[in-house]
Amino acid sequence: DGGITQSPKYLFRKEGQNVTLSCEQNLNHDAMYWYRQDPGQGLRLIYYSQIVNDFQKGDIAEGYSVSREKKESFPLTVTSAQKNPTAFYLCASRWTTNTGELFFGEGSRLTVL
Amino acid sequence: AQSVTQLDSHVSVSEGTPVLLRCNYSSSYSPSLFWYVQHPNKGLQLLLKYTSAATLVKGINGFEAEFKKSETSFHLTKPSAHMSDAAEYFCVVSDDEKAAGNKLTFGGGTRVLVKP
């Protein structure tokens, strides 16, 4: 089945540690996105990539890093520079057309202990 | 620049009664508009989308939305709410990809409570 797979679903981190969230898609989509969602709030864009080996900062990129070495993969690293990393992280992908909808993974919940 | 405003942060309905979720947008170009639903601790699922074809769009699970350019609105409705409709709903606008850098803008979300 085609879709987006995020892992792990739950992750606990100690302060000062970097963690990497995985996102893989087999939909052959060009564009991939990372969003952060906090309780009672909407989605905020962290990074997005429209093509392999290229990505752009979103609205809240500070403290995060990404790579896009393969079309199907877009991992997100939450670094120790991110002051408040506890959140629900969503990965999505779509065709790079105005009409293409986003397809979402099931999310990864990161908790800093 | 594009923006989306969901006019109600919370909506409470009784099972079997109609549901109305309001969304207004602003866009410099011809937008595409989407409604998504999110159940707790899950990803977002597409309910329906408008892409400059028919202004009345039918989606999954009995939902539909009407694009009204003159009112810059894209309200979501369902004739009869079901308990399984309790979730959060997001209205999303996608502007001309060159101008917006292929980004989409999300509304703040509307949480729907369905009472038995």
Side-chain angles (χ1 to χ4, degrees), chain A residues 1 12 15 19 26-27 33 36 39 58 62 77 92 104 109:
Chain A
D1 289 336
F12 298 89
E15 285 190 21
V19 294
N26 60 6
L27 300 167
Y33 303 76
R36 170 179 171 143
E62 185 176 352
T77 296
F104 283 86
R109 183 167 297 283

PDB file of all heavy atoms in Angstrom, chain A residues 1 12 15 19 26-27 33 36 39 58 62 77 92 104 109:
ATOM      1  N   ASP A   1       0.834  -1.191   0.000  1.00  0.00           N
ATOM      2  CA  ASP A   1       0.000   0.000   0.000  1.00  0.00           C
ATOM      3  C   ASP A   1       0.871   1.243   0.000  1.00  0.00           C
ATOM      4  O   ASP A   1       1.891   1.300   0.674  1.00  0.00           O
ATOM      5  CB  ASP A   1      -0.899   0.027   1.244  1.00  0.00           C
ATOM      6  CG  ASP A   1      -1.983  -1.026   1.167  1.00  0.00           C
ATOM      7  OD1 ASP A   1      -2.306  -1.417   0.029  1.00  0.00           O
ATOM      8  OD2 ASP A   1      -2.485  -1.439   2.207  1.00  0.00           O
ATOM      9  N   PHE A  12      11.159   9.464  23.617  1.00  0.00           N
ATOM     10  CA  PHE A  12      11.482  10.229  24.805  1.00  0.00           C
ATOM     11  C   PHE A  12      12.942  10.650  24.716  1.00  0.00           C
ATOM     12  O   PHE A  12      13.795   9.869  24.320  1.00  0.00           O
ATOM     13  CB  PHE A  12      11.234   9.400  26.068  1.00  0.00           C
ATOM     14  CG  PHE A  12       9.796   9.003  26.217  1.00  0.00           C
ATOM     15  CD1 PHE A  12       9.322   7.827  25.654  1.00  0.00           C
ATOM     16  CD2 PHE A  12       8.919   9.826  26.903  1.00  0.00           C
ATOM     17  CE1 PHE A  12       7.984   7.473  25.784  1.00  0.00           C
ATOM     18  CE2 PHE A  12       7.583   9.473  27.027  1.00  0.00           C
ATOM     19  CZ  PHE A  12       7.121   8.296  26.463  1.00  0.00           C
ATOM     20  N   GLU A  15      17.088  16.124  28.014  1.00  0.00           N
ATOM     21  CA  GLU A  15      17.543  17.455  27.587  1.00  0.00           C
ATOM     22  C   GLU A  15      18.992  17.391  27.131  1.00  0.00           C
ATOM     23  O   GLU A  15      19.810  16.687  27.721  1.00  0.00           O
ATOM     24  CB  GLU A  15      17.407  18.452  28.738  1.00  0.00           C
ATOM     25  CG  GLU A  15      15.984  18.870  28.997  1.00  0.00           C
ATOM     26  CD  GLU A  15      15.894  20.038  29.965  1.00  0.00           C
ATOM     27  OE1 GLU A  15      16.897  20.762  30.111  1.00  0.00           O
ATOM     28  OE2 GLU A  15      14.842  20.221  30.572  1.00  0.00           O
ATOM     29  N   VAL A  19      17.729  14.139  18.516  1.00  0.00           N
ATOM     30  CA  VAL A  19      16.961  12.969  18.097  1.00  0.00           C
ATOM     31  C   VAL A  19      16.551  13.149  16.635  1.00  0.00           C
ATOM     32  O   VAL A  19      16.358  14.283  16.181  1.00  0.00           O
ATOM     33  CB  VAL A  19      15.697  12.752  18.948  1.00  0.00           C
ATOM     34  CG1 VAL A  19      16.054  12.398  20.358  1.00  0.00           C
ATOM     35  CG2 VAL A  19      14.801  13.964  18.898  1.00  0.00           C
ATOM     36  N   ASN A  26       6.270   6.261  -0.209  1.00  0.00           N
ATOM     37  CA  ASN A  26       6.381   5.475  -1.451  1.00  0.00           C
ATOM     38  C   ASN A  26       5.320   5.902  -2.453  1.00  0.00           C
ATOM     39  O   ASN A  26       4.841   5.086  -3.247  1.00  0.00           O
ATOM     40  CB  ASN A  26       6.297   3.979  -1.147  1.00  0.00           C
ATOM     41  CG  ASN A  26       5.001   3.586  -0.476  1.00  0.00           C
ATOM     42  OD1 ASN A  26       4.100   4.413  -0.325  1.00  0.00           O
ATOM     43  ND2 ASN A  26       4.895   2.339  -0.066  1.00  0.00           N
ATOM     44  N   LEU A  27       4.960   7.182  -2.398  1.00  0.00           N
ATOM     45  CA  LEU A  27       3.950   7.745  -3.288  1.00  0.00           C
ATOM     46  C   LEU A  27       4.577   8.424  -4.496  1.00  0.00           C
ATOM     47  O   LEU A  27       3.861   8.988  -5.327  1.00  0.00           O
ATOM     48  CB  LEU A  27       3.097   8.744  -2.507  1.00  0.00           C
ATOM     49  CG  LEU A  27       2.355   8.155  -1.300  1.00  0.00           C
ATOM     50  CD1 LEU A  27       1.804   9.263  -0.412  1.00  0.00           C
ATOM     51  CD2 LEU A  27       1.238   7.236  -1.777  1.00  0.00           C
ATOM     52  N   TYR A  33       7.226  17.592   3.663  1.00  0.00           N
ATOM     53  CA  TYR A  33       7.063  18.646   4.653  1.00  0.00           C
ATOM     54  C   TYR A  33       7.168  18.078   6.069  1.00  0.00           C
ATOM     55  O   TYR A  33       6.781  16.933   6.307  1.00  0.00           O
ATOM     56  CB  TYR A  33       5.669  19.295   4.525  1.00  0.00           C
ATOM     57  CG  TYR A  33       5.353  19.863   3.177  1.00  0.00           C
ATOM     58  CD1 TYR A  33       5.015  19.039   2.109  1.00  0.00           C
ATOM     59  CD2 TYR A  33       5.364  21.242   2.963  1.00  0.00           C
ATOM     60  CE1 TYR A  33       4.712  19.565   0.868  1.00  0.00           C
ATOM     61  CE2 TYR A  33       5.051  21.776   1.726  1.00  0.00           C
ATOM     62  CZ  TYR A  33       4.736  20.935   0.691  1.00  0.00           C
ATOM     63  OH  TYR A  33       4.432  21.461  -0.540  1.00  0.00           O
ATOM     64  N   ARG A  36       4.962  20.886  12.985  1.00  0.00           N
ATOM     65  CA  ARG A  36       4.903  20.697  14.431  1.00  0.00           C
ATOM     66  C   ARG A  36       3.505  21.079  14.899  1.00  0.00           C
ATOM     67  O   ARG A  36       2.939  22.087  14.443  1.00  0.00           O
ATOM     68  CB  ARG A  36       5.943  21.583  15.122  1.00  0.00           C
ATOM     69  CG  ARG A  36       5.793  21.627  16.628  1.00  0.00           C
ATOM     70  CD  ARG A  36       6.856  22.480  17.274  1.00  0.00           C
ATOM     71  NE  ARG A  36       6.541  22.669  18.689  1.00  0.00           N
ATOM     72  CZ  ARG A  36       7.458  22.707  19.651  1.00  0.00           C
ATOM     73  NH1 ARG A  36       8.749  22.623  19.356  1.00  0.00           N
ATOM     74  NH2 ARG A  36       7.098  22.858  20.914  1.00  0.00           N
ATOM     75  N   PRO A  39      -0.482  21.183  21.642  1.00  0.00           N
ATOM     76  CA  PRO A  39      -1.867  20.977  22.098  1.00  0.00           C
ATOM     77  C   PRO A  39      -2.748  22.192  21.851  1.00  0.00           C
ATOM     78  O   PRO A  39      -2.391  23.312  22.219  1.00  0.00           O
ATOM     79  CB  PRO A  39      -1.698  20.707  23.593  1.00  0.00           C
ATOM     80  CG  PRO A  39      -0.339  20.122  23.721  1.00  0.00           C
ATOM     81  CD  PRO A  39       0.498  20.831  22.688  1.00  0.00           C
ATOM     82  N   GLY A  58      10.887  26.617   7.041  1.00  0.00           N
ATOM     83  CA  GLY A  58       9.522  27.062   7.222  1.00  0.00           C
ATOM     84  C   GLY A  58       9.470  28.178   8.249  1.00  0.00           C
ATOM     85  O   GLY A  58      10.417  28.947   8.416  1.00  0.00           O
ATOM     86  N   GLU A  62      14.226  27.098  13.532  1.00  0.00           N
ATOM     87  CA  GLU A  62      15.315  27.183  14.498  1.00  0.00           C
ATOM     88  C   GLU A  62      15.323  25.984  15.440  1.00  0.00           C
ATOM     89  O   GLU A  62      14.309  25.648  16.049  1.00  0.00           O
ATOM     90  CB  GLU A  62      15.217  28.471  15.311  1.00  0.00           C
ATOM     91  CG  GLU A  62      16.395  28.674  16.257  1.00  0.00           C
ATOM     92  CD  GLU A  62      16.337  30.006  16.979  1.00  0.00           C
ATOM     93  OE1 GLU A  62      15.473  30.833  16.651  1.00  0.00           O
ATOM     94  OE2 GLU A  62      17.168  30.213  17.880  1.00  0.00           O
ATOM     95  N   THR A  77      15.838  16.152  12.265  1.00  0.00           N
ATOM     96  CA  THR A  77      16.612  16.077  13.498  1.00  0.00           C
ATOM     97  C   THR A  77      16.213  17.234  14.406  1.00  0.00           C
ATOM     98  O   THR A  77      16.254  18.398  13.976  1.00  0.00           O
ATOM     99  CB  THR A  77      18.121  16.113  13.223  1.00  0.00           C
ATOM    100  OG1 THR A  77      18.476  14.942  12.465  1.00  0.00           O
ATOM    101  CG2 THR A  77      18.916  16.113  14.521  1.00  0.00           C
ATOM    102  N   ALA A  92       4.508  15.080   5.878  1.00  0.00           N
ATOM    103  CA  ALA A  92       3.539  15.023   4.788  1.00  0.00           C
ATOM    104  C   ALA A  92       4.251  15.103   3.446  1.00  0.00           C
ATOM    105  O   ALA A  92       5.413  15.533   3.371  1.00  0.00           O
ATOM    106  CB  ALA A  92       2.524  16.164   4.906  1.00  0.00           C
ATOM    107  N   PHE A 104      -0.544  12.709   4.818  1.00  0.00           N
ATOM    108  CA  PHE A 104       0.135  12.775   6.103  1.00  0.00           C
ATOM    109  C   PHE A 104       0.497  11.395   6.638  1.00  0.00           C
ATOM    110  O   PHE A 104      -0.219  10.402   6.403  1.00  0.00           O
ATOM    111  CB  PHE A 104      -0.764  13.455   7.139  1.00  0.00           C
ATOM    112  CG  PHE A 104      -0.820  14.936   6.997  1.00  0.00           C
ATOM    113  CD1 PHE A 104      -1.722  15.539   6.137  1.00  0.00           C
ATOM    114  CD2 PHE A 104       0.032  15.747   7.739  1.00  0.00           C
ATOM    115  CE1 PHE A 104      -1.768  16.918   5.996  1.00  0.00           C
ATOM    116  CE2 PHE A 104      -0.020  17.131   7.613  1.00  0.00           C
ATOM    117  CZ  PHE A 104      -0.911  17.714   6.743  1.00  0.00           C
ATOM    118  N   ARG A 109       5.287  11.458  18.399  1.00  0.00           N
ATOM    119  CA  ARG A 109       5.163  12.299  19.596  1.00  0.00           C
ATOM    120  C   ARG A 109       6.476  12.277  20.350  1.00  0.00           C
ATOM    121  O   ARG A 109       6.915  11.218  20.813  1.00  0.00           O
ATOM    122  CB  ARG A 109       4.023  11.827  20.488  1.00  0.00           C
ATOM    123  CG  ARG A 109       3.821  12.736  21.702  1.00  0.00           C
ATOM    124  CD  ARG A 109       2.518  12.466  22.406  1.00  0.00           C
ATOM    125  NE  ARG A 109       1.356  12.740  21.585  1.00  0.00           N
ATOM    126  CZ  ARG A 109       0.869  13.942  21.329  1.00  0.00           C
ATOM    127  NH1 ARG A 109       1.455  15.013  21.821  1.00  0.00           N
ATOM    128  NH2 ARG A 109      -0.217  14.076  20.590  1.00  0.00           N
TER     129      ARG A 109
END
